[in-house]
Amino acid sequence: MTEERLIISRKTNNKFFLMIAVGVVLLIAGIIFMAAGGGAEHHAEGHGEAAAAGHEAASWTKRLFVNLWLNNVYFTGIALIGTFFVAVQYVAYAGWSALVKRIPEAMASYLPIGGIVMLLVFLFGGHDIFHWTHEYLYDVNDPRYDPIIAGKSGYLNTVFFLIRMVVYFGLWILFTKWLRNQSLSEDLNGGTSYYHKSIRISAMFLVVFGITSSTSAWDWVLSIDTHWFSTMFGWYVFASWWVSGLAAITLTVIILKQNGYLKMVNANHIHDLGKFVFAFSIFWTYIWFSQFLLYWYANIPEESIYFIDRLGGNEGHFAWIFFFNLVINFVFPFLVLMTRDAKRQMIMLKIVTIAILIGHWFDFYLMMMPGTLRTDAGIGFIEIGTTLVFLGVFLLTFTKGLAKASLVPVNHPFLEESVHHHV
């Protein structure tokens, strides 16, 4: 098989840099508006409730840090799913995916950047994002002492939190590089030894991923609402990351195919990716509904508060996102991708995958904003600007990773099977 190289034109790279530049301009504009009193009305109305709940009314720095955290958790998750997808294919001895495996491999290129940003945002903005980082909560003599949060201090303390963060990224990047090196060595030298070694590495990674994907979700998302807990939360965040990652892989395959690359990828590969996206949109909804139903039915105040904050609480501030989240992440993909033909048509899949990627950004928004910014949250220049900066950086690292190796893993033992894949 001949190798196929992706050439990123200067024009394409310039588009990504333009995206980052526009994001920075919007971000600065948003900060100026807020500093000049754009957030003043929110400030006044939200202050009493926010103070009562132990949350200060939001300044522009707080809003910036929360947005940096939101986007970094979202894009780090998509990058991590790249390695997870590759590992699952190896462990399952999957042949069909050989032609597309270079895309998830390259997606994981963002992980080192994600790790650095995560560390810096926590060190400088941890107090703005996480209520549990305030020292007074643990001081029995302070009137603001919180026995529930103090009881969690064995796990939720700054030092252990930082150690866990470094361990997560260290392990993820180690396994990503290890699998990538096997993949590139296989291209050069051939044989099946690299393939068999990759299976063993993937099996180890999946064990690590199973634990760290849940604990990182508790750390980075769940601990924002420090009093609340859910035994399904690790699964919920994983489902959101996983379907976003699948949408990103599928969308990239379609865009590359439309630009004349991946010539050996056919409608059957597209169909399989479409089935994945369709199935795991339903899986995400199943997890969402299971979590919601249990809390709704039991109706215990300290449990249901999480959903009340997102539905009627906070002056109904998040209610529209609550329902929009369900429509864009479940109803829309479910109805559009239901038929076999829709899953084989690139235009249909392109529309659905873009909708899912936007939808799950909103999913993470809904997980983080009610516990941090409360009624001061909104979708403004700061949100759009931060997202554009992260998207631009992600696309730069992703395409650079894609261009570094052949798009076709020329010596993959199952390449022939993938070329003749038919469903």
Side-chain angles (χ1 to χ4, degrees), residues 179-346:
L179 278 171
R180 176 74 163 173
N181 290 342
Q182 297 303 312
S183 186
L184 297 179
S185 301
E186 183 183 75
D187 271 11
L188 292 172
N189 308 318
T192 56
S193 62
Y194 298 107
Y195 181 78
H196 291 297
K197 191 175 176 187
S198 295
I199 292 171
R200 292 194 292 276
I201 296 166
S202 297
M204 288 188 283
F205 171 72
L206 290 177
V207 174
V208 168
F209 178 84
I211 298 163
T212 56
S213 63
S214 278
T215 53
S216 61
W218 302 339
D219 287 0
W220 302 340
V221 189
L222 182 60
S223 78
I224 288 171
D225 294 274
T226 319
H227 279 197
W228 189 73
F229 53 88
S230 163
T231 50
M232 295 184 70
F233 203 81
W235 274 110
Y236 181 73
V237 171
F238 161 71
S240 201
W241 273 345
W242 177 225
V243 76
S244 307
L246 289 170
I249 293 165
T250 308
L251 182 60
T252 309
V253 169
I254 290 167
I255 290 169
L256 287 172
K257 193 121 181 80
Q258 287 177 339
N259 283 287
Y261 294 100
L262 298 177
K263 293 179 185 69
M264 289 181 283
V265 168
N266 58 42
N268 300 292
H269 298 96
I270 305 279
H271 187 186
D272 271 356
L273 288 166
K275 284 188 279 192
F276 259 127
V277 171
F278 177 70
F280 284 101
S281 294
I282 298 169
F283 173 74
W284 170 83
T285 316
Y286 157 70
I287 300 288
W288 183 96
F289 185 71
S290 302
Q291 181 173 267
F292 179 78
L293 182 75
L294 291 170
Y295 288 133
W296 174 81
Y297 189 73
N299 203 15
I300 300 167
E302 60 267 33
E303 292 180 350
S304 57
I305 182 82
Y306 184 84
F307 291 102
I308 290 167
D309 274 352
R310 283 151 181 78
L311 266 168
N314 287 315
E315 298 150 31
H317 201 74
F318 299 99
W320 74 271
I321 300 179
F322 186 87
F323 294 106
F324 173 71
N325 190 23
L326 284 173
V327 170
I328 196 168
N329 290 323
F330 170 61
V331 178
F332 182 66
F334 181 73
L335 294 177
V336 175
L337 293 183
M338 199 180 279
T339 63
R340 181 178 189 268
D341 283 352
K343 292 190 276 283
R344 297 172 76 90
Q345 284 175 352
M346 290 203 272

